[in-house]
Amino acid sequence: MRWIDATFMRGGTSKGLFFREQDLPGPGPDRDRIFLLALGSPDPFGRQLDGMGGGLSSLSKVVTVAVLDRPDTDLEYTFGQVAVDAPVVDYSGNCGNLSSAVVPYALESGLLQLADGPQTVSVFNTNTAKNIRVHLQVRQGVAEVAGDLSLPGVAGTGAPIQLEYLQPGGARTGALLPTASVRETLSWEGQGYESSLIDAANPTVFVRAKDLGILGDELPDQLDGDSALQERLEGIRRSGAVAMGMAKDPQSAPLAVPKIALVAEPRSGKLLDGTTIDSASCDLTMRVISMGQTHRATPGTTALCAAVAAQLPRSIVHSVLREDIDPQALRIATPSGVVTAGANVRWSADGLPTAEGASLYRTARPLMRGQVALPMEISTNAATG
């Protein structure tokens, strides 16, 4: 048995293991094997009982963090989505929720030192080659955790952490509109589905819920229990990956991105905690499929992408919105409650959109720090035991 330093962090509505880049072997099979063993994948039972994972895509994640010696950037991080039932670590996209835990982790692990008070840290995400400004409060040398911000899907409240994504367009494809159009028709098994393929923070395929024969306010278990619907959504998602230039064919599409999001007009309905939501409290109803499972809240990057898409006339998102929405505070109804995200979209003289920025608030905190046990030999100075 070998051991390696790690910290278990919650960021937004996700949890994951955080590592210092310097404590790991270089990118490749040995590193991926560490991540798979640490989280307990692959697990044909879908529970990851022999690791730190939680059996859901939002609970099966890893992040590596390093300090950068650059005047414009303080930290860089790489996100890995670990498949629950397959020996795969997917680096094709970023995680907006765990992005909020990068600076708190760096402070806890000694990678970064900041004075107490409000601070702004510039971080670079290697998955998307994008910069993010992280605004947070520091207390006694670490990130403040106590606060009044309530995050849908997370019990209690916490200190607000603002994520400000700079120039989020073209995170994976190099273009905000990878097909140069706000609407496309994607085909699956001979049937066409109107979609918007938007790449902001992470590439996303937006489709109308009603076009799939559902209302859009269904809870995750309802959607996950419909195997025919999930198969169709995965087919549309993979077709979207091809149209966006992310894959040569549907079979080779990445697992983690593009996400696929079902959108509908504001609706009243029941939430996961048994409470109800009123249609007047939101601008958009959205359900997001991540790694074949319906997200219990929403990936942060998908909320940001939706905020950008909301400002693009004729987009699928724009088509279901109220007319009087605030572009800096798009209220998105998720299975856990309403999430708010904002975006700044600029139009050029020739009528082309550019996403100047997008932002949202999250909370984060460390859950445990120490060492994770690995039943393997690993070539890293951090390994002991």
Side-chain angles (χ1 to χ4, degrees):
M1 190 70 68
R2 308 296 285 181
W3 299 80
I4 186 169
D5 290 347
T7 300
F8 199 41
M9 301 285 299
R10 177 187 64 78
T13 54
S14 292
K15 292 193 291 189
L17 276 177
F18 280 62
F19 300 87
R20 295 184 302 184
E21 183 76 27
Q22 67 202 51
D23 294 339
L24 296 166
D30 287 344
R31 176 179 290 203
D32 288 357
R33 187 167 175 236
I34 288 174
F35 295 158
L36 291 165
L37 286 171
L39 290 183
S41 293
D43 184 352
F45 301 101
R47 300 177 67 189
Q48 294 176 303
L49 283 178
D50 200 35
M52 300 289 291
L56 297 173
S57 64
S58 58
L59 308 179
S60 185
K61 301 181 175 186
V62 293
V63 175
T64 65
V65 183
V67 177
L68 286 186
D69 186 17
R70 284 169 36 181
D72 60 337
T73 308
D74 302 298
L75 300 167
E76 77 169 20
Y77 72 100
T78 300
F79 164 68
Q81 177 70 65
V82 180
V84 173
D85 58 356
V88 175
V89 184
D90 194 309
Y91 301 99
S92 59
N94 186 19
C95 175
N97 279 299
L98 287 191
S99 296
S100 65
V102 170
V103 176
Y105 166 72
L107 291 168
E108 288 281 351
S109 63
L111 286 172
L112 184 67
Q113 291 82 40
L114 296 174
D116 286 1
Q119 295 287 350
T120 297
V121 181
S122 178
V123 301
F124 179 78
N125 173 244
T126 65
N127 305 80
T128 59
K130 294 294 182 179
N131 286 292
I132 305 169
R133 287 198 192 108
V134 180
H135 307 274
L136 76 167
Q137 188 78 19
V138 177
R139 182 183 181 195
Q140 296 181 356
V142 296
E144 176 68 83
V145 296
D148 297 328
L149 180 62
S150 176
L151 195 65
V154 180
T157 61
I161 298 173
Q162 183 185 14
L163 302 177
E164 183 185 0
Y165 283 66
L166 308 179
Q167 299 291 326
R172 288 294 299 175
T173 66
L176 176 63
L177 300 176
T179 65
S181 176
V182 295
R183 282 204 192 187
E184 296 291 340
T185 299
L186 299 177
S187 297
W188 184 77
E189 292 194 340
Q191 186 170 346
Y193 297 89
E194 270 198 313
S195 310
S196 285
L197 311 180
I198 313 295
D199 184 2
N202 259 340
T204 305
V205 176
F206 292 100
V207 292
R208 280 185 296 253
K210 68 177 183 180
D211 292 344
L212 289 139
I214 60 177
L215 297 175
D217 61 355
E218 290 84 357
L219 293 178
D221 284 348
Q222 294 175 269
L223 298 177
D224 290 347
D226 189 337
S227 58
L229 173 63
Q230 289 297 331
E231 183 180 354
R232 188 167 21 154
L233 289 171
E234 181 63 5
I236 297 169
R237 189 192 73 83
R238 288 178 176 270
S239 295
V242 174
M244 298 170 96
M246 300 180 65
K248 293 182 179 180
D249 53 60
Q251 292 72 31
S252 60
L255 296 178
V257 293
K259 307 292 186 190
I260 184 165
L262 308 173
V263 297
E265 69 281 359
R267 298 186 59 84
S268 301
K270 183 175 290 188
L271 301 177
L272 284 173
D273 64 357
T275 62
T276 58
I277 185 174
D278 186 86
S279 62
S281 66
C282 60
D283 305 308
L284 168 73
T285 302
M286 187 168 76
R287 300 293 186 261
V288 182
I289 312 303
S290 179
M291 299 289 286
Q293 296 174 319
T294 306
H295 206 283
R296 269 51 184 167
T298 180
T301 52
T302 310
L304 294 167
C305 194
V308 172
Q311 298 182 50
L312 305 180
R314 294 193 63 254
S315 76
I316 294 298
V317 175
H318 190 273
S319 70
V320 299
L321 293 176
R322 301 182 188 276
E323 294 183 359
D324 57 346
I325 69 161
D326 179 355
Q328 296 304 315
L330 180 70
R331 302 173 302 166
I332 304 169
T334 78
S336 294
V338 176
V339 170
T340 301
N344 178 21
V345 176
R346 178 177 58 83
W347 296 85
S348 65
D350 54 3
L352 296 177
T354 299
E356 293 292 315
S359 66
L360 81 165
Y361 284 88
R362 306 276 87 179
T363 63
R365 77 175 185 92
L367 302 176
M368 186 176 69
R369 65 183 180 186
Q371 295 183 317
V372 62
L374 303 170
M376 64 180 291
E377 293 293 329
I378 54 176
S379 56
T380 166
N381 292 332
T384 61

